[in-house]
Amino acid sequence: MTTTAAPAALAWRADPYTDALRSGRGPLFLHRQDGWLLPLEVERWCAAPDPADLTVLRRCRGAVLDIGCGPGRLVVALAALGTAALGVDVSPEAVRRTQRSGGSALCRSVFDPLPGEGRWHTALLLDGNVGIGGDPAALLTRAARLIEADGQLIVEAAPLDVDERVEVRVADGRGAFGAAFPWSRLGTAALLRYAHATGWRAGEQWTAAGRPFVVLRRMPARV
């Protein structure tokens, strides 16, 4: 595992996150050093895809890589539709839950070597996973190496105008904390700025149930 991914990998293996996935419910938060808390939607992640998720599934094309798949609701749903899909997540419990539900998943960081690099047609960064590693440019650059030249990256942005890179810990709101790790949050405007700077162009944009989504495609290579 790379230096970029290691702190987050250890944090997502921490007991508060593992316990929440095992029970299928929160409360669970990202806890910033100044005391600010971002609620994590464990119950939604552990349920079947909701109507907003379905808007993403309808736009998936070809083989799909779900980066930070969590308990695997999207991977499982895609498999049920007959779509080749693989989830990757640094949490062993997330991977186990995905596999128990009938999906394919690997316990790896997106920055580790992955199967089919350069051959995935669709990659997903949902549920705040554009924050992985706390370095949006590095993550978007890595994602570009995973998909085909004419593939697509579907990203969920934060539902507000934000561009921040912070240190957080997973917390259960009852005094248990995981290790600190870097994270970022991007609203749509910030996401598009990082995307353009790393060789992506914006395609379709939409909002469902208050969740903003953007389809990114690679810019043509300059001759």
Side-chain angles (χ1 to χ4, degrees):
M1 186 172 294
T2 67
T3 302
T4 302
L10 294 173
W12 290 109
R13 293 167 188 250
D15 285 344
Y17 184 65
T18 298
D19 291 346
L21 289 190
R22 285 174 178 163
S23 67
R25 60 182 183 273
L28 197 68
F29 307 90
L30 288 185
H31 180 276
R32 202 165 60 190
Q33 288 180 317
D34 62 4
W36 174 90
L37 295 173
L38 175 68
L40 300 177
E41 299 181 80
V42 177
E43 290 86 354
R44 180 172 65 79
W45 298 347
C46 290
D50 64 15
D53 293 328
L54 295 179
T55 68
V56 173
L57 295 178
R58 287 195 292 269
R59 290 166 170 85
C60 289
R61 301 289 182 269
V64 179
L65 180 68
D66 187 359
I67 299 168
C69 66
R73 71 189 189 283
L74 300 175
V75 174
V76 172
L78 287 164
L81 294 170
T83 299
L86 176 69
V88 294
D89 203 287
V90 295
S91 163
E93 183 59 30
V95 170
R96 284 192 291 267
R97 185 160 181 146
T98 300
Q99 294 171 339
R100 286 196 301 266
S101 300
S104 296
L106 293 175
C107 190
R108 295 186 193 176
S109 163
V110 63
F111 296 101
D112 290 336
L114 296 175
E117 293 201 16
R119 299 195 299 275
W120 297 97
H121 191 76
T122 300
L124 305 177
L125 279 171
L126 306 183
D127 303 326
N129 283 327
V130 72
I132 289 172
D135 186 341
L139 180 59
L140 291 171
T141 299
R142 172 59 175 152
R145 300 192 185 107
L146 297 172
I147 66 170
E148 300 174 340
D150 62 346
Q152 61 179 357
L153 177 64
I154 304 178
V155 186
E156 180 177 349
L160 66 166
D161 187 13
V162 62
D163 179 0
E164 67 174 12
R165 284 179 277 181
V166 295
E167 187 174 88
V168 296
R169 295 187 292 171
V170 180
D172 67 1
R174 298 183 293 269
F177 294 91
F181 61 98
W183 195 252
S184 60
R185 288 198 307 150
L186 304 179
T188 299
L191 170 61
L192 294 178
R193 287 195 299 272
Y194 284 107
H196 181 78
T198 52
W200 296 93
R201 59 181 174 84
E204 185 180 5
Q205 300 179 44
W206 74 99
T207 299
R211 297 166 59 192
F213 301 95
V214 179
V215 175
L216 299 177
R217 300 186 186 278
R218 296 298 292 156
M219 291 181 186
R222 295 180 180 177
V223 178

